[in-house]
Amino acid sequence: MTSAEYLKLFVTRDVITYIAEDTGVDIKTAMEQFYNSEIFDKLQDTETGLYTESASYVYELFKPTACIR
């Protein structure tokens, strides 16, 4: 596994945790919300460099694009 893949995994894990904690949804729902988002797609694209940013930064980008209740 490359360092970029590790970074993507760690950022993804942390963002999903933030979603679950901030919204009160279970982990499965948080995963579905994030995995189905445009931000997740951008995170996976190494061309964007988003994977090098902190999880909290990625989460802040995600929040306005999601229908979080």
Side-chain angles (χ1 to χ4, degrees):
M1 189 175 272
T2 67
S3 58
E5 290 169 326
Y6 275 114
L7 288 170
K8 289 184 228 178
L9 283 173
F10 291 132
V11 170
T12 298
R13 178 199 61 196
D14 291 347
V15 170
I16 289 169
T17 301
Y18 295 154
I19 295 167
E21 289 175 354
D22 286 356
T23 64
V25 299
D26 60 31
I27 291 293
K28 182 180 179 201
T29 301
M31 290 170 68
E32 290 171 352
Q33 289 177 349
F34 189 56
Y35 290 148
N36 291 315
S37 72
E38 183 179 337
I39 298 302
F40 178 75
D41 292 340
K42 289 181 181 184
L43 178 65
Q44 298 308 305
D45 181 359
T46 52
E47 297 280 323
T48 67
L50 189 57
Y51 69 95
T52 64
E53 300 293 340
S54 70
S56 59
Y57 177 80
V58 175
Y59 180 56
E60 289 301 316
L61 293 176
F62 168 80
K63 285 194 311 188
T65 65
C67 295
I68 299 177
R69 294 181 186 155

